[in-house]
């Protein structure tokens, strides 16, 4: 074998080795970048979850009610001391049924009044 053929063969082997090493370095570089991007995506997903939770909490009826009550003092919760009872001019349902008064409700109310009237003691059929 001639020296020129040997040097050509060694040159080709050296170039191929350098290319192989370069490709391996690129593979590790891409893997490292992919790992960094994956960690970044996981951090973004975590932040997204926290933001979504905050939005849902801010849209909750409890939070909206507390904000209304804290900002505008004219809104107040209903309590027993704030209930006003108004006397009715018409008799209540139990009084109407007991007295046998006819209602203007239609067929259902007539059937109900007949059913209650038939069930009263002292009424004969």
């Amino acid at each position: 074998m001639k020296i020129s053929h040997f040097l050509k063969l060694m040159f080709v082997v050296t170039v191929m080795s350098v290319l192989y090493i370069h490709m391996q370095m690129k593979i590790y570089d891409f893997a490292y970048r992919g790992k960094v991007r994956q960690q970044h995506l996981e951090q973004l997903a975590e932040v997204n979850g926290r933001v979504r939770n905050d939005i849902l909490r801010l849209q909750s009826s409890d939070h909206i009610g507390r904000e209304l009550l804290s900002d505008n003092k004219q809104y107040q919760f209903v309590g027993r001391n704030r209930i006003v009872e108004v006397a009715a001019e018409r008799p209540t349902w139990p009084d109407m049924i007991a007295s046998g008064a006819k209602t203007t409700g239609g067929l259902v109310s007539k059937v109900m009044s007949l059913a209650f009237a038939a069930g009263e003691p002292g009424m004969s059929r």
Side-chain angles (χ1 to χ4, degrees):
M1 190 187 230
K2 293 185 183 181
I3 288 267
S4 65
H5 289 299
F6 180 73
L7 289 176
K8 286 180 186 178
L9 180 65
M10 291 312 281
F11 179 75
V12 169
V13 169
T14 305
V15 167
M16 295 296 273
S17 299
V18 169
L19 288 175
Y20 177 77
I21 291 171
H22 179 70
M23 281 189 344
Q24 290 296 322
M25 286 175 44
K26 283 289 192 183
I27 290 171
Y28 281 108
D29 183 46
F30 287 141
Y32 177 74
R33 286 184 193 173
K35 184 85 169 173
V36 168
R37 286 182 181 171
Q38 180 181 4
Q39 290 173 350
H40 185 68
L41 285 175
E42 288 172 0
Q43 289 173 352
L44 287 176
E46 184 178 329
V47 169
N48 188 16
R50 283 194 307 249
V51 168
R52 181 176 290 146
N53 186 21
D54 290 343
I55 289 171
L56 291 175
R57 184 179 52 81
L58 290 175
Q59 288 178 346
S60 71
S61 59
D62 180 53
H63 177 73
I64 292 170
R66 289 182 192 277
E67 286 295 318
L68 280 175
L69 292 176
S70 66
D71 290 341
N72 301 326
K73 295 298 182 184
Q74 66 186 10
Y75 296 112
Q76 297 176 351
F77 280 117
V78 175
R80 289 191 177 264
N81 58 349
R82 293 190 183 102
I83 294 178
V84 177
E85 292 186 20
V86 179
E89 294 179 14
R90 299 184 319 179
T92 61
W93 279 99
D95 295 338
M96 288 174 58
I97 292 172
S99 68
K102 293 193 176 186
T103 61
T104 60
L107 178 64
V108 175
S109 63
K110 289 179 183 176
V111 170
M112 292 299 290
S113 63
L114 286 176
F116 283 115
E120 290 181 9
M123 296 277 302
S124 62
R125 289 186 179 182

